[in-house]
PDB file of all heavy atoms in Angstrom:
ATOM      1  N   LEU A 217     133.482 120.123  38.380  1.00 62.00           N
ATOM      2  CA  LEU A 217     134.827 119.922  38.872  1.00 62.00           C
ATOM      3  C   LEU A 217     135.097 118.436  39.196  1.00 62.00           C
ATOM      4  O   LEU A 217     136.151 117.911  38.863  1.00 62.00           O
ATOM      5  CB  LEU A 217     135.093 120.770  40.120  1.00 62.00           C
ATOM      6  CG  LEU A 217     136.529 120.775  40.639  1.00 62.00           C
ATOM      7  CD1 LEU A 217     137.499 121.204  39.568  1.00 62.00           C
ATOM      8  CD2 LEU A 217     136.630 121.687  41.842  1.00 62.00           C
ATOM      9  N   ALA A 218     134.141 117.779  39.795  1.00 72.00           N
ATOM     10  CA  ALA A 218     134.297 116.352  40.092  1.00 72.00           C
ATOM     11  C   ALA A 218     134.234 115.507  38.840  1.00 72.00           C
ATOM     12  O   ALA A 218     134.963 114.522  38.710  1.00 72.00           O
ATOM     13  CB  ALA A 218     133.213 115.918  41.078  1.00 72.00           C
ATOM     14  N   LYS A 219     133.395 115.896  37.890  1.00 78.00           N
ATOM     15  CA  LYS A 219     133.196 115.096  36.668  1.00 78.00           C
ATOM     16  C   LYS A 219     134.381 115.234  35.710  1.00 78.00           C
ATOM     17  O   LYS A 219     134.857 114.240  35.190  1.00 78.00           O
ATOM     18  CB  LYS A 219     131.919 115.557  35.989  1.00 78.00           C
ATOM     19  CG  LYS A 219     131.529 114.713  34.804  1.00 78.00           C
ATOM     20  CD  LYS A 219     130.189 115.183  34.258  1.00 78.00           C
ATOM     21  CE  LYS A 219     129.775 114.336  33.083  1.00 78.00           C
ATOM     22  NZ  LYS A 219     128.505 114.790  32.524  1.00 78.00           N
ATOM     23  N   GLY A 222     139.636 118.948  34.315  1.00 82.00           N
ATOM     24  CA  GLY A 222     140.415 119.575  33.267  1.00 82.00           C
ATOM     25  C   GLY A 222     139.663 120.697  32.570  1.00 82.00           C
ATOM     26  O   GLY A 222     140.233 121.710  32.215  1.00 82.00           O
ATOM     27  N   TRP A 228     139.437 128.411  33.866  1.00 79.00           N
ATOM     28  CA  TRP A 228     140.072 129.391  34.763  1.00 79.00           C
ATOM     29  C   TRP A 228     141.349 129.949  34.182  1.00 79.00           C
ATOM     30  O   TRP A 228     141.645 131.128  34.298  1.00 79.00           O
ATOM     31  CB  TRP A 228     140.346 128.779  36.147  1.00 79.00           C
ATOM     32  CG  TRP A 228     139.152 128.886  37.049  1.00 79.00           C
ATOM     33  CD1 TRP A 228     138.363 127.885  37.465  1.00 79.00           C
ATOM     34  CD2 TRP A 228     138.604 130.096  37.600  1.00 79.00           C
ATOM     35  NE1 TRP A 228     137.346 128.380  38.249  1.00 79.00           N
ATOM     36  CE2 TRP A 228     137.475 129.731  38.362  1.00 79.00           C
ATOM     37  CE3 TRP A 228     138.964 131.429  37.513  1.00 79.00           C
ATOM     38  CZ2 TRP A 228     136.704 130.669  39.023  1.00 79.00           C
ATOM     39  CZ3 TRP A 228     138.196 132.354  38.223  1.00 79.00           C
ATOM     40  CH2 TRP A 228     137.067 131.960  38.946  1.00 79.00           C
ATOM     41  N   ARG A 231     140.330 132.483  31.582  1.00 81.00           N
ATOM     42  CA  ARG A 231     139.709 133.650  32.162  1.00 81.00           C
ATOM     43  C   ARG A 231     140.756 134.568  32.816  1.00 81.00           C
ATOM     44  O   ARG A 231     140.628 135.792  32.798  1.00 81.00           O
ATOM     45  CB  ARG A 231     138.697 133.220  33.200  1.00 81.00           C
ATOM     46  CG  ARG A 231     137.963 134.387  33.851  1.00 81.00           C
ATOM     47  CD  ARG A 231     136.942 133.869  34.832  1.00 81.00           C
ATOM     48  NE  ARG A 231     136.296 135.019  35.426  1.00 81.00           N
ATOM     49  CZ  ARG A 231     135.005 135.115  35.627  1.00 81.00           C
ATOM     50  NH1 ARG A 231     134.218 134.125  35.287  1.00 81.00           N
ATOM     51  NH2 ARG A 231     134.490 136.171  36.175  1.00 81.00           N
ATOM     52  N   TRP A 236     148.270 136.807  34.137  1.00 87.00           N
ATOM     53  CA  TRP A 236     149.506 136.005  34.193  1.00 87.00           C
ATOM     54  C   TRP A 236     150.746 136.906  34.155  1.00 87.00           C
ATOM     55  O   TRP A 236     150.857 137.796  33.331  1.00 87.00           O
ATOM     56  CB  TRP A 236     149.599 134.989  33.061  1.00 87.00           C
ATOM     57  CG  TRP A 236     148.479 133.984  33.052  1.00 87.00           C
ATOM     58  CD1 TRP A 236     147.764 133.585  31.955  1.00 87.00           C
ATOM     59  CD2 TRP A 236     147.943 133.240  34.146  1.00 87.00           C
ATOM     60  NE1 TRP A 236     146.821 132.667  32.299  1.00 87.00           N
ATOM     61  CE2 TRP A 236     146.908 132.444  33.644  1.00 87.00           C
ATOM     62  CE3 TRP A 236     148.212 133.205  35.501  1.00 87.00           C
ATOM     63  CZ2 TRP A 236     146.143 131.592  34.469  1.00 87.00           C
ATOM     64  CZ3 TRP A 236     147.477 132.379  36.310  1.00 87.00           C
ATOM     65  CH2 TRP A 236     146.482 131.558  35.789  1.00 87.00           C
ATOM     66  N   MET A 239     151.476 141.212  39.252  1.00 95.00           N
ATOM     67  CA  MET A 239     151.550 141.152  40.702  1.00 95.00           C
ATOM     68  C   MET A 239     150.153 141.084  41.291  1.00 95.00           C
ATOM     69  O   MET A 239     149.235 141.739  40.817  1.00 95.00           O
ATOM     70  CB  MET A 239     152.273 142.388  41.248  1.00 95.00           C
ATOM     71  CG  MET A 239     153.735 142.482  40.818  1.00 95.00           C
ATOM     72  SD  MET A 239     154.736 141.090  41.374  1.00 95.00           S
ATOM     73  CE  MET A 239     154.723 141.371  43.144  1.00 95.00           C
ATOM     74  N   VAL A 242     147.178 138.182  47.800  1.00 96.00           N
ATOM     75  CA  VAL A 242     146.277 137.093  48.150  1.00 96.00           C
ATOM     76  C   VAL A 242     146.060 137.103  49.663  1.00 96.00           C
ATOM     77  O   VAL A 242     147.031 137.123  50.428  1.00 96.00           O
ATOM     78  CB  VAL A 242     146.849 135.721  47.698  1.00 96.00           C
ATOM     79  CG1 VAL A 242     145.835 134.617  48.011  1.00 96.00           C
ATOM     80  CG2 VAL A 242     147.211 135.721  46.228  1.00 96.00           C
ATOM     81  N   GLY A 245     143.234 132.469  55.026  1.00 91.00           N
ATOM     82  CA  GLY A 245     142.983 132.357  56.448  1.00 91.00           C
ATOM     83  C   GLY A 245     144.230 132.488  57.291  1.00 91.00           C
ATOM     84  O   GLY A 245     144.195 132.774  58.481  1.00 91.00           O
ATOM     85  N   GLY A 247     146.692 134.680  56.531  1.00 93.00           N
ATOM     86  CA  GLY A 247     147.243 136.015  56.363  1.00 93.00           C
ATOM     87  C   GLY A 247     147.324 136.410  54.916  1.00 93.00           C
ATOM     88  O   GLY A 247     146.673 135.810  54.057  1.00 93.00           O
ATOM     89  N   GLY A 251     152.793 138.602  45.438  1.00 96.00           N
ATOM     90  CA  GLY A 251     153.730 137.936  44.547  1.00 96.00           C
ATOM     91  C   GLY A 251     153.265 138.008  43.103  1.00 96.00           C
ATOM     92  O   GLY A 251     152.284 138.660  42.766  1.00 96.00           O
ATOM     93  N   VAL A 256     147.557 128.497  37.030  1.00 88.00           N
ATOM     94  CA  VAL A 256     146.660 127.594  37.756  1.00 88.00           C
ATOM     95  C   VAL A 256     147.161 126.202  37.418  1.00 88.00           C
ATOM     96  O   VAL A 256     147.239 125.850  36.213  1.00 88.00           O
ATOM     97  CB  VAL A 256     145.188 127.761  37.350  1.00 88.00           C
ATOM     98  CG1 VAL A 256     144.303 126.690  37.984  1.00 88.00           C
ATOM     99  CG2 VAL A 256     144.692 129.149  37.724  1.00 88.00           C
ATOM    100  N   ASP A 257     147.546 125.407  38.397  1.00 89.00           N
ATOM    101  CA  ASP A 257     148.099 124.086  38.059  1.00 89.00           C
ATOM    102  C   ASP A 257     146.974 123.073  37.747  1.00 89.00           C
ATOM    103  O   ASP A 257     145.772 123.416  37.820  1.00 89.00           O
ATOM    104  CB  ASP A 257     149.072 123.585  39.159  1.00 89.00           C
ATOM    105  CG  ASP A 257     148.420 123.189  40.453  1.00 89.00           C
ATOM    106  OD1 ASP A 257     147.169 123.035  40.511  1.00 89.00           O
ATOM    107  OD2 ASP A 257     149.163 123.013  41.444  1.00 89.00           O
ATOM    108  N   VAL A 266     156.492 134.027  45.379  1.00 96.00           N
ATOM    109  CA  VAL A 266     156.664 134.941  46.506  1.00 96.00           C
ATOM    110  C   VAL A 266     158.114 134.854  46.978  1.00 96.00           C
ATOM    111  O   VAL A 266     158.555 133.777  47.391  1.00 96.00           O
ATOM    112  CB  VAL A 266     155.696 134.584  47.659  1.00 96.00           C
ATOM    113  CG1 VAL A 266     155.890 135.533  48.827  1.00 96.00           C
ATOM    114  CG2 VAL A 266     154.260 134.566  47.187  1.00 96.00           C
ATOM    115  N   GLU A 267     158.838 135.978  46.867  1.00 96.00           N
ATOM    116  CA  GLU A 267     160.228 136.021  47.304  1.00 96.00           C
ATOM    117  C   GLU A 267     161.052 134.876  46.683  1.00 96.00           C
ATOM    118  O   GLU A 267     161.808 134.207  47.379  1.00 96.00           O
ATOM    119  CB  GLU A 267     160.314 136.014  48.818  1.00 96.00           C
ATOM    120  CG  GLU A 267     159.670 137.245  49.429  1.00 96.00           C
ATOM    121  CD  GLU A 267     159.701 137.249  50.961  1.00 96.00           C
ATOM    122  OE1 GLU A 267     160.194 136.274  51.569  1.00 96.00           O
ATOM    123  OE2 GLU A 267     159.236 138.231  51.520  1.00 96.00           O
ATOM    124  N   ARG A 270     157.867 129.330  44.721  1.00 97.00           N
ATOM    125  CA  ARG A 270     156.530 129.056  44.220  1.00 97.00           C
ATOM    126  C   ARG A 270     155.618 128.619  45.376  1.00 97.00           C
ATOM    127  O   ARG A 270     155.999 127.726  46.139  1.00 97.00           O
ATOM    128  CB  ARG A 270     156.594 127.946  43.160  1.00 97.00           C
ATOM    129  CG  ARG A 270     157.295 128.411  41.909  1.00 97.00           C
ATOM    130  CD  ARG A 270     157.559 127.245  40.970  1.00 97.00           C
ATOM    131  NE  ARG A 270     156.366 126.646  40.436  1.00 97.00           N
ATOM    132  CZ  ARG A 270     155.811 126.966  39.245  1.00 97.00           C
ATOM    133  NH1 ARG A 270     156.407 127.839  38.481  1.00 97.00           N
ATOM    134  NH2 ARG A 270     154.715 126.369  38.857  1.00 97.00           N
ATOM    135  N   ARG A 271     154.464 129.245  45.474  1.00 96.00           N
ATOM    136  CA  ARG A 271     153.477 128.879  46.483  1.00 96.00           C
ATOM    137  C   ARG A 271     152.203 128.414  45.808  1.00 96.00           C
ATOM    138  O   ARG A 271     151.719 129.106  44.884  1.00 96.00           O
ATOM    139  CB  ARG A 271     153.135 130.094  47.364  1.00 96.00           C
ATOM    140  CG  ARG A 271     154.284 130.666  48.161  1.00 96.00           C
ATOM    141  CD  ARG A 271     154.486 130.018  49.503  1.00 96.00           C
ATOM    142  NE  ARG A 271     153.287 129.879  50.302  1.00 96.00           N
ATOM    143  CZ  ARG A 271     152.900 130.712  51.270  1.00 96.00           C
ATOM    144  NH1 ARG A 271     153.647 131.759  51.535  1.00 96.00           N
ATOM    145  NH2 ARG A 271     151.781 130.476  51.939  1.00 96.00           N
ATOM    146  N   ARG A 272     151.666 127.284  46.223  1.00 95.00           N
ATOM    147  CA  ARG A 272     150.392 126.778  45.712  1.00 95.00           C
ATOM    148  C   ARG A 272     149.315 127.182  46.702  1.00 95.00           C
ATOM    149  O   ARG A 272     149.405 126.880  47.875  1.00 95.00           O
ATOM    150  CB  ARG A 272     150.431 125.247  45.590  1.00 95.00           C
ATOM    151  CG  ARG A 272     151.337 124.724  44.547  1.00 95.00           C
ATOM    152  CD  ARG A 272     151.323 123.190  44.517  1.00 95.00           C
ATOM    153  NE  ARG A 272     150.058 122.732  43.917  1.00 95.00           N
ATOM    154  CZ  ARG A 272     149.117 122.064  44.565  1.00 95.00           C
ATOM    155  NH1 ARG A 272     149.251 121.742  45.816  1.00 95.00           N
ATOM    156  NH2 ARG A 272     148.027 121.684  43.941  1.00 95.00           N
ATOM    157  N   GLU A 277     141.365 135.124  48.676  1.00 95.00           N
ATOM    158  CA  GLU A 277     140.848 136.253  47.891  1.00 95.00           C
ATOM    159  C   GLU A 277     142.009 136.903  47.184  1.00 95.00           C
ATOM    160  O   GLU A 277     142.970 137.353  47.821  1.00 95.00           O
ATOM    161  CB  GLU A 277     140.158 137.247  48.824  1.00 95.00           C
ATOM    162  CG  GLU A 277     139.520 138.395  48.082  1.00 95.00           C
ATOM    163  CD  GLU A 277     138.777 139.324  49.021  1.00 95.00           C
ATOM    164  OE1 GLU A 277     138.215 138.862  50.039  1.00 95.00           O
ATOM    165  OE2 GLU A 277     138.805 140.536  48.756  1.00 95.00           O
ATOM    166  N   THR A 279     143.601 139.816  44.624  1.00 93.00           N
ATOM    167  CA  THR A 279     143.451 141.161  44.091  1.00 93.00           C
ATOM    168  C   THR A 279     144.610 141.432  43.152  1.00 93.00           C
ATOM    169  O   THR A 279     145.768 141.200  43.528  1.00 93.00           O
ATOM    170  CB  THR A 279     143.431 142.210  45.222  1.00 93.00           C
ATOM    171  OG1 THR A 279     142.399 141.900  46.140  1.00 93.00           O
ATOM    172  CG2 THR A 279     143.238 143.604  44.666  1.00 93.00           C
ATOM    173  N   ARG A 280     144.308 141.885  41.967  1.00 92.00           N
ATOM    174  CA  ARG A 280     145.355 142.281  41.013  1.00 92.00           C
ATOM    175  C   ARG A 280     145.890 143.635  41.414  1.00 92.00           C
ATOM    176  O   ARG A 280     145.147 144.582  41.632  1.00 92.00           O
ATOM    177  CB  ARG A 280     144.755 142.339  39.612  1.00 92.00           C
ATOM    178  CG  ARG A 280     145.729 142.622  38.531  1.00 92.00           C
ATOM    179  CD  ARG A 280     145.004 142.624  37.202  1.00 92.00           C
ATOM    180  NE  ARG A 280     145.945 142.753  36.094  1.00 92.00           N
ATOM    181  CZ  ARG A 280     145.568 142.837  34.842  1.00 92.00           C
ATOM    182  NH1 ARG A 280     144.281 142.800  34.555  1.00 92.00           N
ATOM    183  NH2 ARG A 280     146.442 142.931  33.901  1.00 92.00           N
ATOM    184  N   ARG A 282     148.010 147.007  40.617  1.00 86.00           N
ATOM    185  CA  ARG A 282     148.366 147.838  39.458  1.00 86.00           C
ATOM    186  C   ARG A 282     149.832 148.244  39.564  1.00 86.00           C
ATOM    187  O   ARG A 282     150.321 148.531  40.663  1.00 86.00           O
ATOM    188  CB  ARG A 282     147.521 149.089  39.425  1.00 86.00           C
ATOM    189  CG  ARG A 282     146.045 148.796  39.246  1.00 86.00           C
ATOM    190  CD  ARG A 282     145.236 150.094  39.256  1.00 86.00           C
ATOM    191  NE  ARG A 282     143.832 149.827  39.301  1.00 86.00           N
ATOM    192  CZ  ARG A 282     143.049 149.774  38.241  1.00 86.00           C
ATOM    193  NH1 ARG A 282     143.554 149.987  37.038  1.00 86.00           N
ATOM    194  NH2 ARG A 282     141.784 149.539  38.363  1.00 86.00           N
TER     195      ARG A 282
END
Side-chain angles (χ1 to χ4, degrees):
L217 186 56
K219 187 175 180 181
W228 273 110
R231 182 179 180 137
W236 299 135
M239 296 299 293
V242 183
V256 173
D257 71 13
V266 180
E267 297 178 358
R270 293 170 65 95
R271 298 273 311 263
R272 292 180 73 247
E277 183 177 326
T279 303
R280 184 179 187 184
R282 297 179 189 265

